[in-house]
């Protein structure tokens, strides 16, 4: 059984993330979307809210489950018996940070592989950070996030 983990902050999940979840679910027997419990980073949504939103938009994909984790990703992966880290790469600028993380994870756990996947071209500029910023100032992000996420964002930024 090939079991992959797609880790991230997902604050909130975007169409770009969802695209990677769907692509991953077609390759692996199981995909666990793993939400980092990074309350220190002052996320907009709590871990419970982020998980709820991912469940709403990706929960119907049969081989996808959603969990949260803290501490080292590779330790969490050992606990749930996963072998592959999936990360989306949008542009060359993502690569340097992703390379560092992948090599650090390899140093910590050589048996774990990292697989970089490309999202669909229309999402190559989409990030949770920019989506939040645009929505906060009243911009239209309806083509960049799933509908339940849009509603939650608009509710959060209602003035
Ligand atoms: O969506 P993000 O914030 O880019 O995701 C980053 C994430 C969660 C993949 C990364 O911060 C992570 O794996 N954190 C867990 C701590 C850890 O394992 N650090 C060492 C690996 S570099």
């Amino acid at each position: 059984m090939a079991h992959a983990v797609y880790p991230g902050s997902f604050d909130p999940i975007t169409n770009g993330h969802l695209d990677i979840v769907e692509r991953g679910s077609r390759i692996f027997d199981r995909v666990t979307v793993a939400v980092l419990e990074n309350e220190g980073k002052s996320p907009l949504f709590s871990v419970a809210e982020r998980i709820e939103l991912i469940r709403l938009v990706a929960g119907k994909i049969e081989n996808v489950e959603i969990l949260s984790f803290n501490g080292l990703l590779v330790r969490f992966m050992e606990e749930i018996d996963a072998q592959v880290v999936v990360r989306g790469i949008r542009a060359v600028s993502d690569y340097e940070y992703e390379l560092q993380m992948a090599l650090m994870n390899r140093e910590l756990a050589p048996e774990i592989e990292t697989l970089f996947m490309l999202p669909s071209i229309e999402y190559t500029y989409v990030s949770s950070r920019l989506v939040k910023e645009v929505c906060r100032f009243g911009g239209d992000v309806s083509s960049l996030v799933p509908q339940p996420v849009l509603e939650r964002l608009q509710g959060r930024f209602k003035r």
Side-chain angles (χ1 to χ4, degrees):
M1 279 272 280
H3 181 187
V5 165
Y6 180 32
S9 301
F10 303 106
D11 184 40
I13 186 166
T14 66
N15 284 344
H17 291 130
L18 189 55
D19 184 80
I20 297 291
V21 174
E22 285 165 352
R23 286 172 196 281
S25 74
R26 293 198 286 270
I27 293 178
F28 295 100
D29 298 306
R30 284 174 70 192
V31 174
T32 298
V33 181
V35 179
L36 179 66
E37 295 173 12
N38 54 351
E39 299 296 339
K41 265 184 164 181
S42 311
L44 180 64
F45 295 108
S46 68
V47 173
E49 287 174 301
R50 285 180 267 157
I51 288 180
E52 184 198 341
L53 286 172
I54 301 169
R55 282 226 168 90
L56 280 172
V57 301
K60 286 205 183 76
I61 308 173
E62 211 183 316
N63 58 345
V64 170
E65 66 180 328
I66 302 114
L67 296 173
S68 67
F69 77 104
N70 55 37
L72 287 177
L73 175 63
V74 294
R75 292 291 99 80
F76 168 71
M77 290 179 63
E78 283 160 6
E79 280 164 27
I80 63 167
D81 197 21
Q83 309 86 30
V84 179
V85 181
V86 166
R87 291 285 287 174
I89 297 246
R90 292 162 299 189
V92 177
S93 49
D94 281 339
Y95 181 70
E96 217 167 317
Y97 170 60
E98 295 298 334
L99 179 72
Q100 281 182 352
M101 282 205 299
L103 291 177
M104 181 59 83
N105 284 334
R106 179 175 284 170
E107 173 67 22
L108 295 169
E111 69 286 0
I112 287 177
E113 290 294 342
T114 297
L115 181 76
F116 294 142
M117 297 189 75
L118 303 181
S120 188
I121 191 90
E122 67 261 38
Y123 303 131
T124 46
Y125 66 97
V126 179
S127 70
S128 300
R129 187 181 63 80
L130 279 183
V131 161
K132 284 182 282 191
E133 188 173 305
V134 171
C135 194
R136 184 189 300 273
F137 295 116
D140 180 9
V141 293
S142 57
S143 60
L144 311 181
V145 293
Q147 185 64 23
V149 175
L150 181 68
E151 286 165 17
R152 200 63 69 88
L153 278 166
Q154 287 171 338
R156 193 55 64 94
F157 293 130
K158 209 162 22 195
R159 275 172 244 184

